[in-house]
Amino acid sequence: MTANSRCSAAEPPGLETQRREIESLLRECELRAGDSWYVMERRWYEQWKEFVETGDQNSSSFPGQIDNTELFEDLDSYHLKERLVENEDFMLLPAEAWHRLLDWYGMVEGQPALERKVVDLPSTLKVEVYPVEIFLCLHSNMENVITAQFSRADSIHSIQRAMCDAFTVPPGSECRLWMKSSDSSCERLRNVHVSVLDACLSSGMTVIMETRNADGTWPSSRPQIMRNSVEDQDSYRGQPGVCGLTNLGNTCFMNSALQCLSNTPPLTEYFLLSSYLEELNFTNPLGMKGEIAEAYADVIKQMWSGRHYSVVPRVFKTKVGHFASQFLGYQQHDSQELLSFLLDGLHEDLNRVKNKEYIELRDAEGRPDQEVAEEAWRNHRRRNDSVIVDTFHGLFKSTLVCPECHKVSVTFDPFCYLSVPLPVSKERVMEVFFVSLDPYAKPAQHRVVVPKAGKVSDLCSALSEMTNLPSTQMVVADVFNHRFYKIYNADECLSCILDRDDIFVYELSVLEEQQEEQVLLALYLRERSHYRDYGSGSSSYGTSLFGHPLLLSVPRSCCSREELYKLFLQRLTRYVRPPGPSEELEEEEEDEEEEELYKTQTNGISDEEEQEDAEKAGPSQTQPCCGGSSTNSQSDESAAAKRPPDVNHAQPSLDDGDTEPENQTEPVCSAGTSNTDANAVTPSGDSSGTADAEPPAEQPQPPCETTEEEEKEEDKQEEACSPSPPANEQPAKRKACRKRRKSLFTIQAVNSNGTTERGTGEGGSAVSFSSQPYVAIDWDPEMKKRFYNENEAEKYVKHASMEVPQQQTTVQLQECIELFTTVETLEEENPWYCPVCKKHQLATKKLDLWSLPEVLIIHLKRFSYTKFTREKLDSIVDFPLRDLDFSGCLLRKSLSNGEPPSRYDLIAVSNHYGGLRDGHYTSYAWNKDNGQWYYFDDSKVTYAREDQIVTNAAYVLFYHRQDRIRTPSLPPPTSSPASSSTQPANDITSCKDDDDAAELGAASSSSASMETD
């Protein structure tokens, strides 16, 4: 850059010629971005002008060598002085004019030529007199700082090259740059192809370079790594790719998807070779500015470094949530939905097409399929060209036929994965509890098969065949939190009943002479509080529901309180013990307020009735059981979420027809457990409330699910949180004139929630018949403790139908693919606009496979959603591990020379265990280097056998075309460390190990109880 020669060997032209040439260059040269101009001291330039204007070669005004001494602060650093002014302190010359003057006059020895670039500033072009002066250093040695000047037009890549040269960074090292401003905040310089100006680099800033570690991490953001011990941190060397992913909280869906993609050879090799660095697209408005691709690359390089047991993908999770808000937080999601987002995001971040052109799509219009398909694929590649398209995109043919004019529309559309449906059964298995009229019979749990599109009457008919009772004597209800959420009519659809609902079917009594009107009475059980409910705005006593509600068919004439008391007592005989002859239950005189609360609207029972009921009741059973009642408060009600009967949970065993208790700690579906009652029974079964307690027995109830978050549950919780006023108070206060027989409970008309109380009905009856009548019987806590046996009340038996194993249906993958290509009629919500009829039509649609990608992803649509129902299909799909042949499915039957075959081998499977709203994701994957199958369960990785891979949990399948599969470079592992208690949970253990093989088998089986995230 310096020119120290005095004058060039060639003689300069005449002075007039010099003047004309330089003035012409100054007059004609325009500023163009990126061009070089030179700074020259104005004094020297003015003296040169004076010299050439004299026309005398021997004039005393000869300028001598070009000298810019006055422009520098000092002659050591040659820094320009601050605030120099153009045309006063210096002149700007275009490169050609500068070089001519340099040739004619030379330059003072040692001085650098002041070359400056033309930069394109917003709305103007300008010569950059003062370049950007920045400090450069390595992350590994922040003390060694050098200073360098760069033009604002220079690229960040030129800074990176200069730093690699200055710090002698080994060639081939993967580097990244950080920009640090004066306030100590650092920012990544992601796009190395932008200019210094666009990167907002200014003088005084520091650029820090770091190189990737051997284990795939970056020094500046070394993540948490799951290690065995401190000693293993740097010494561990494992099989590359065999690395777990830590669950950050419900992120097993993400881990499963990442493990499948990590074991897709062409994509992983693309990232391991850092090919993505040259293809990052920072300007794509549909992309994520390269951040998703970089975050994914970091995870892959760490997993395939062979230096980690498990990696924590926290940065990747944060990036995904930033660009896709549905994945924010730590809720459970669908692994296929994440795969769809990730493949699309990687494609847009790595799209080689920087400016997408508009392409108008054409219909086939009778042209040959081959021609139309090639045109469609060309058009697709003109806008979409990335490693994702190269690896995962195929083409299918879509044929639409108008049902009216029979217009045929043929288009060819690209796909990234195939979502194939599973054959859906037209029948449904339901589990219900049947409550018999026999007061001594326990509720029986039945499993019935009903039509999916059937009605409630079909459920009653199916139950009728099992019980030999007419279906007309049955009524179906949904029980939630000790109350009826809904009482169904016989003509209502079964689709509105969810599998998790607690369905009770009640047998109703039928009089021989149907001359009198029958009333369907809903009965709730409530317990009065010991304390007044001052928060309700009155000095009354609060109540809380407990136990199971009942439905009874009662003659209208028997709705007086006295008749209902007898009926209820008889109906509850199994778990309500009438007082014996020796037990005195006489009411004592109390103050007016207590009398008003406890003795209004009651009817005594005669000694004969008590004696008769006592004989029926049998021996005394007085022990209260935990889980029988719930406190009617916001916190307790919301905690008692609804759970459906579920045979996959630990069910209590049956002994002599009864469901005997096991160590079950969950509440029964409709009996919310309060903390007070739960503490009433000690672990040894001793009751603190009674001396003659029964043997210990915990609730033998169907276990519950507490993870559902549907609107129905929200509605139920709102209803459950309503405050419970106590029994009505008589308008007129009265005192007891004499002692009389006291009732076990009082009867009160209530609303459907069992909270708001109503007045008495017409004609002195206890209920109102204007709508569905609901009645509650209110128990004094002491009376409930003595005469109500909660343990007995919660018992149920299992019908023989519950013991019959459910048939596991198996379908072939080929059936699912054929179902994908069958003709279907479009739904009303998604009609097709016919260009001939000029209106939307419900056309028939058929999809056919035309060309397949190198890696084929098949998504099994296990989750079925309709207007009313949502279900997961647990059918086993039998898919081949090798030689999946699509030749019979491809529309293009004859393959020309050079076209790839259509046989595929399985390389990965994403599994889902559990139900709709909860569950757990794992994956199986085939390692490309050693040909071994592995089972990935978050941070734990174990060997897998091929016979374990096909299960009813398989959700997303990854197939690799056989012609692109390379032979593994390493032999499969033959031995492994023995399993022991000190071995880490995420260590590799051989499938020859009995314990681990059993564990894998359990994880793969359909009845596995997988841990819910």
Side-chain angles (χ1 to χ4, degrees):
M1 299 281 296
T2 60
N4 300 322
S5 60
R6 220 178 129 73
C7 287
S8 75
E11 279 294 318
L15 299 183
E16 182 62 23
T17 304
Q18 290 183 35
R19 184 183 64 81
R20 282 199 311 270
E21 286 184 7
I22 297 300
E23 287 183 353
S24 174
L25 290 172
L26 289 174
R27 187 170 53 251
E28 295 173 1
C29 197
E30 296 179 353
L31 295 177
R32 289 192 299 270
D35 283 358
S36 293
W37 286 58
Y38 287 81
V39 178
M40 175 180 284
E41 185 185 326
R42 185 175 181 275
R43 183 195 57 78
W44 189 93
Y45 180 76
E46 291 296 334
Q47 190 168 351
W48 171 81
K49 280 180 64 177
E50 182 182 339
F51 171 65
V52 294
E53 285 173 356
T54 63
D56 185 2
Q57 292 277 8
N58 299 318
S59 170
S60 60
S61 58
F62 178 72
Q65 292 179 318
I66 299 174
D67 186 2
N68 290 330
T69 302
E70 296 297 321
L71 300 180
F72 298 119
E73 282 185 351
D74 58 74
L75 297 180
D76 294 328
S77 64
Y78 290 109
H79 279 171
L80 281 182
K81 293 178 180 178
E82 297 292 334
R83 293 183 290 277
L84 296 177
V85 180
E86 186 180 359
N87 297 326
E88 288 186 12
D89 300 312
F90 64 88
M91 300 291 296
L92 288 173
L93 299 179
E96 190 174 352
W98 163 262
H99 287 301
R100 290 193 184 187
L101 288 174
L102 186 62
D103 288 341
W104 297 336
Y105 296 95
M107 194 171 185
V108 174
E109 186 176 354
Q111 282 192 11
L114 301 177
E115 182 183 6
R116 297 294 184 263
K117 296 285 187 181
V118 179
V119 293
D120 188 2
L121 298 174
S123 72
T124 183
L125 288 170
K126 188 178 180 180
V127 177
E128 181 186 43
V129 177
Y130 291 98
V132 176
E133 188 174 277
I134 56 178
F135 304 104
L136 309 176
C137 67
L138 290 177
H139 182 272
S140 57
N141 186 5
M142 304 280 281
E143 302 299 324
N144 183 21
V145 180
I146 63 173
T147 305
Q149 290 184 343
F150 296 93
S151 167
R152 290 173 178 81
D154 288 340
S155 68
I156 301 298
H157 190 58
S158 65
I159 299 179
Q160 183 171 314
R161 282 200 309 269
M163 294 184 72
C164 288
D165 293 339
F167 295 112
T168 61
V169 175
S173 299
E174 188 178 347
C175 309
R176 66 181 186 180
L177 303 181
W178 293 84
M179 175 177 67
K180 181 181 178 183
S181 57
S182 57
D183 61 356
S184 300
S185 62
C186 289
E187 182 182 345
R188 270 284 311 281
L189 293 170
R190 296 183 180 280
N191 190 354
V192 296
H193 302 293
V194 299
S195 66
V196 170
L197 176 66
D198 292 335
C200 300
L201 263 176
S202 58
S203 295
M205 287 187 173
T206 302
V207 174
I208 306 170
M209 173 188 279
E210 61 174 340
T211 57
R212 193 188 289 273
N213 297 323
D215 65 354
T217 60
W218 292 101
S220 62
S221 57
R222 187 176 181 88
Q224 300 166 331
I225 305 296
M226 298 297 291
R227 302 288 191 183
N228 251 0
S229 63
V230 178
E231 293 77 16
D232 286 346
Q233 290 193 8
D234 297 317
S235 62
Y236 175 74
R237 296 293 184 272
Q239 173 63 41
V242 183
C243 175
L245 290 168
T246 302
N247 192 321
L248 305 174
N250 280 341
T251 58
C252 57
F253 73 97
M254 181 182 78
N255 295 345
S256 175
L258 283 175
Q259 292 288 7
C260 292
L261 281 180
S262 168
N263 287 280
T264 302
L267 185 64
T268 294
E269 289 168 3
Y270 171 85
F271 280 98
L272 291 180
L273 295 173
S274 298
S275 304
Y276 70 99
L277 292 174
E278 296 302 318
E279 296 183 349
L280 286 171
N281 190 331
F282 298 97
T283 59
N284 187 353
L286 300 178
M288 289 83 174
K289 306 294 183 289
E291 293 187 38
I292 286 292
E294 286 188 333
Y296 178 76
D298 286 348
V299 173
I300 292 300
K301 293 200 173 190
Q302 291 172 41
M303 293 173 66
W304 285 83
S305 68
R307 296 170 182 252
H308 305 304
Y309 291 109
S310 180
V311 170
V312 183
R314 193 178 303 279
V315 175
F316 178 81
K317 167 73 172 65
T318 303
K319 293 294 183 187
V320 169
H322 176 71
F323 291 105
S325 58
Q326 67 267 32
F327 297 114
L328 273 173
Y330 295 93
Q331 291 80 30
Q332 183 65 279
H333 294 283
D334 191 309
S335 67
Q336 187 273 332
E337 290 178 5
L338 179 79
L339 269 173
S340 177
F341 161 77
L342 185 54
L343 290 174
D344 186 60
L346 289 175
H347 160 65
E348 297 296 353
D349 269 1
L350 300 169
N351 198 345
R352 303 173 187 117
V353 179
K354 300 299 188 271
N355 297 305
K356 295 187 178 184
E357 56 181 312
Y358 172 75
I359 299 174
E360 187 172 353
L361 299 178
R362 294 174 55 197
D363 198 58
E365 298 173 348
R367 293 181 292 161
D369 283 352
Q370 184 74 26
E371 177 185 340
V372 180
E374 291 175 356
E375 178 187 81
W377 187 247
R378 280 196 309 271
N379 291 340
H380 179 59
R381 294 303 295 256
R382 283 163 65 185
R383 291 173 55 87
N384 304 279
D385 184 15
S386 70
V387 65
I388 302 300
V389 177
D390 299 341
T391 308
F392 297 101
H393 282 208
L395 202 66
F396 59 63
K397 176 185 176 183
S398 174
T399 306
L400 291 164
V401 180
C402 177
E404 195 169 305
C405 68
H406 303 290
K407 156 73 177 173
V408 178
S409 172
V410 175
T411 57
F412 286 82
D413 302 304
F415 67 86
C416 189
Y417 51 85
L418 294 180
S419 288
V420 299
L422 271 63
V424 180
S425 170
K426 295 184 178 180
E427 293 183 329
R428 170 185 178 187
V429 177
M430 296 183 68
E431 293 178 7
V432 299
F433 289 91
F434 177 71
V435 182
S436 170
L437 262 181
D438 182 1
Y440 295 98
K442 299 177 179 67
Q445 187 181 21
H446 291 254
R447 183 180 289 155
V448 294
V449 179
V450 294
K452 270 190 180 175
K455 298 185 180 299
V456 172
S457 57
D458 296 315
L459 171 60
C460 296
S461 300
L463 201 56
S464 174
E465 295 179 6
M466 291 186 178
T467 59
N468 295 320
L469 294 171
S471 59
T472 54
Q473 287 182 232
M474 297 180 185
V475 61
V476 179
D478 182 357
V479 175
F480 173 69
N481 222 5
H482 321 292
R483 54 173 63 85
F484 292 114
Y485 177 73
K486 183 172 183 180
I487 301 174
Y488 293 98
N489 295 320
D491 58 350
E492 290 191 69
C493 294
L494 287 175
S495 57
C496 59
I497 300 178
L498 304 180
D499 288 336
R500 64 176 174 274
D501 291 342
D502 296 324
I503 301 301
F504 283 71
V505 181
Y506 296 87
E507 180 189 0
L508 302 180
S509 60
V510 178
L511 296 180
E512 294 180 2
E513 298 180 3
Q514 290 288 351
Q515 298 173 351
E516 189 175 357
E517 181 184 354
Q518 296 282 104
V519 177
L520 183 63
L521 201 60
L523 174 64
Y524 293 154
L525 284 74
R526 302 195 303 183
E527 180 179 5
R528 279 193 290 256
S529 171
H530 281 291
Y531 306 101
R532 289 194 174 100
D533 185 11
Y534 292 102
S536 64
S538 68
S539 59
S540 58
Y541 283 71
T543 59
S544 58
L545 292 169
F546 69 93
H548 294 283
L550 292 173
L551 282 175
L552 302 91
S553 182
V554 182
R556 185 158 185 164
S557 61
C558 298
C559 288
S560 67
R561 296 187 181 277
E562 189 169 322
E563 294 288 338
L564 289 179
Y565 186 90
K566 297 177 183 177
L567 177 64
F568 295 163
L569 199 60
Q570 187 270 336
R571 191 72 177 83
L572 304 176
T573 298
R574 183 168 60 87
Y575 44 89
V576 173
R577 177 182 65 84
S582 61
E583 295 178 285
E584 292 296 329
L585 281 182
E586 292 183 342
E587 292 183 337
E588 299 177 358
E589 292 190 30
E590 302 175 1
D591 60 60
E592 293 181 2
E593 190 171 14
E594 295 297 324
E595 178 184 318
E596 177 185 344
L597 288 169
Y598 283 88
K599 294 194 286 189
T600 56
Q601 304 175 352
T602 61
N603 292 287
I605 58 174
S606 65
D607 292 339
E608 291 81 3
E609 291 167 342
E610 289 184 3
Q611 182 63 34
E612 180 182 347
D613 290 334
E615 292 171 359
K616 291 182 181 178
S620 170
Q621 296 177 339
T622 61
Q623 187 216 333
C625 179
C626 62
S629 63
S630 66
T631 306
N632 194 13
S633 65
Q634 181 79 20
S635 60
D636 290 339
E637 290 289 359
S638 59
K642 186 174 179 186
R643 293 189 168 216
D646 187 353
V647 295
N648 289 332
H649 288 275
Q651 288 281 11
S653 60
L654 300 178
D655 185 16
D656 295 333
D658 290 356
T659 302
E660 293 300 328
E662 290 182 347
N663 292 331
Q664 181 174 332
T665 59
E666 295 176 335
V668 58
C669 30
S670 59
T673 306
S674 69
N675 292 335
T676 305
D677 290 327
N679 295 330
V681 178
T682 62
S684 62
D686 296 334
S687 171
S688 59
T690 56
D692 52 344
E694 285 188 342
E698 294 184 38
Q699 302 298 349
Q701 304 138 358
C704 315
E705 282 295 331
T706 59
T707 55
E708 307 296 345
E709 299 173 0
E710 300 298 320
E711 293 179 3
K712 182 173 179 180
E713 271 64 29
E714 294 171 4
D715 297 339
K716 293 179 179 181
Q717 293 295 353
E718 289 173 9
E719 296 170 5
C721 296
S722 305
S724 268
N728 266 3
E729 301 181 20
Q730 284 284 49
K733 295 182 179 180
R734 55 191 175 90
K735 290 188 177 181
C737 300
R738 57 183 174 82
K739 292 185 178 181
R740 56 182 175 135
R741 179 67 64 187
K742 184 178 180 180
S743 302
L744 294 180
F745 48 78
T746 60
I747 300 173
Q748 178 63 52
V750 294
N751 66 358
S752 60
N753 288 333
T755 54
T756 307
E757 294 157 357
R758 299 176 173 178
T760 56
E762 63 275 7
S765 69
V767 295
S768 172
F769 305 110
S770 57
S771 60
Q772 169 66 52
Y774 291 84
V775 170
I777 56 175
D778 292 346
W779 289 79
D780 177 80
E782 282 300 319
M783 300 290 279
K784 175 173 175 281
K785 182 183 291 187
R786 292 176 60 190
F787 298 101
Y788 183 87
N789 189 335
E790 291 184 87
N791 183 35
E792 181 64 30
E794 300 298 338
K795 287 183 178 179
Y796 70 100
V797 296
K798 286 186 178 181
H799 184 261
S801 60
M802 295 296 297
E803 306 302 327
V804 178
Q806 293 182 264
Q807 292 290 330
Q808 183 71 55
T809 56
T810 301
V811 297
Q812 299 297 319
L813 179 60
Q814 209 67 26
E815 296 178 49
C816 302
I817 296 172
E818 290 172 2
L819 206 57
F820 173 77
T821 58
T822 55
V823 178
E824 62 177 359
T825 303
L826 296 179
E827 298 176 350
E828 293 183 3
E829 297 82 7
N830 186 31
W832 169 67
Y833 183 79
C834 177
V836 177
C837 302
K838 305 294 183 187
K839 62 179 181 180
H840 288 90
Q841 298 279 16
L842 298 181
T844 58
K845 181 178 181 180
K846 187 177 189 307
L847 295 177
D848 292 290
L849 298 175
W850 181 263
S851 64
L852 298 175
E854 177 182 347
V855 175
L856 178 63
I857 302 176
I858 301 178
H859 165 223
L860 305 177
K861 297 170 71 173
R862 289 196 178 276
F863 299 102
S864 172
Y865 301 96
T866 64
K867 191 173 183 180
F868 295 105
T869 63
R870 299 172 49 172
E871 63 176 335
K872 182 192 174 187
L873 305 175
D874 284 322
S875 308
I876 292 180
V877 178
D878 189 5
F879 50 89
L881 272 63
R882 295 180 184 82
D883 297 322
L884 174 61
D885 190 1
F886 277 93
S887 57
C889 304
L890 282 175
L891 193 64
R892 184 174 44 176
K893 300 296 182 185
S894 58
L895 297 177
S896 60
N897 291 334
E899 291 189 1
S902 53
R903 286 183 178 272
Y904 288 79
D905 287 352
L906 187 75
I907 56 173
V909 181
S910 175
N911 302 310
H912 177 265
Y913 300 92
L916 284 169
R917 302 292 299 178
D918 59 0
H920 185 60
Y921 286 93
T922 64
S923 55
Y924 289 104
W926 181 80
N927 187 277
K928 66 183 181 66
D929 291 341
N930 64 9
Q932 170 67 42
W933 280 95
Y934 293 93
Y935 180 66
F936 297 90
D937 185 357
D938 288 333
S939 58
K940 183 176 182 179
V941 185
T942 49
Y943 292 112
R945 300 191 307 269
E946 291 187 356
D947 59 0
Q948 296 172 321
I949 296 171
V950 179
T951 69
N952 67 338
Y955 184 44
V956 184
L957 313 176
F958 284 68
Y959 279 95
H960 199 180
R961 206 170 59 219
Q962 286 182 347
D963 67 310
R964 302 303 295 270
I965 297 178
R966 291 199 298 271
T967 305
S969 56
L970 300 174
T974 55
S975 61
S976 63
S979 177
S980 68
S981 59
T982 60
Q983 200 169 8
N986 55 359
D987 198 3
I988 295 295
T989 53
S990 172
C991 57
K992 295 177 183 178
D993 260 358
D994 294 338
D995 294 342
D996 293 319
E999 178 182 336
L1000 274 175
S1004 305
S1005 66
S1006 61
S1007 60
S1009 177
M1010 301 301 294
E1011 181 179 340
T1012 301
D1013 283 326

